[in-house]
């Protein structure tokens, strides 16, 4: 069974930092072709949005404009884990954060059509 499990969420004051982790089982990020692993978030009453996307093959990544310069994603293929380092957190970053993955097949794209999703971890940023 393929599973993604997020961890690292919590309550933090504005300006603070959190590091989220996404641990995979049933798939291996370093497999031939690699995976696109995305972080998404959904705030109460809002649609889910993509936050970051990384290739497990070469580490290339891209980010939503709202988090550029503050968030950074990394892939540790040896541990089959992807991280999201979040700095300079703002109250508007408050949301449930999900990781998701799909094979890249040469195209780095994280969207709603990801193959597998985690159950999420909650991030709350107080003013």
């Amino acid at each position: 069974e393929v599973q993604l499990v997020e961890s690292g969420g919590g309550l933090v004051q504005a300006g603070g930092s959190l590091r989220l982790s996404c641990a995979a089982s049933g798939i291996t990020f370093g497999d031939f072709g690699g995976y696109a692993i995305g972080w998404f978030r959904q705030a109460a009453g809002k649609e889910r949005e993509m936050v970051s996307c990384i290739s497990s093959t070469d580490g290339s990544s891209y980010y939503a404009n709202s988090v550029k310069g503050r968030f950074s994603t990394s892939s540790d293929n040896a541990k089959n884990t992807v991280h999201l380092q979040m700095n300079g957190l703002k109250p508007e970053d408050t949301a449930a954060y999900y990781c998701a993955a799909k094979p890249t097949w040469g195209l780095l794209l994280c969207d709603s059509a990801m193959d597998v999703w985690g159950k999420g971890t909650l991030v709350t940023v107080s003013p």
Side-chain angles (χ1 to χ4, degrees), residues 41 66-67 70-71 88-95 97 123 125:
R41 67 185 181 186
S66 57
V67 305
R70 299 188 297 125
F71 290 12
L89 283 162
K90 305 175 181 180
E92 52 263 43
D93 294 319
T94 294
Y97 283 71
V123 172
V125 184

Side-chain angles (χ1 to χ4, degrees), residues 4-77:
L4 299 176
V5 179
E6 304 93 337
S7 61
L11 173 64
V12 63
Q13 288 187 330
S17 299
L18 282 174
R19 187 189 194 212
L20 305 184
S21 297
C22 171
S25 60
I27 57 173
T28 302
F29 288 156
D31 278 351
F32 177 76
Y35 282 83
I37 304 104
W39 285 96
F40 297 76
R41 67 185 181 186
Q42 187 167 21
K46 295 187 177 181
E47 293 188 354
R48 184 174 58 197
E49 62 172 342
M50 191 280 298
V51 173
S52 67
C53 187
I54 187 168
S55 166
S56 67
T57 301
D58 59 12
S60 57
S61 60
Y62 64 93
Y63 300 86
N65 287 335
S66 57
V67 305
K68 277 182 182 177
R70 299 188 297 125
F71 290 12
S72 177
T73 188
S74 60
S75 177
D76 184 343
N77 288 354

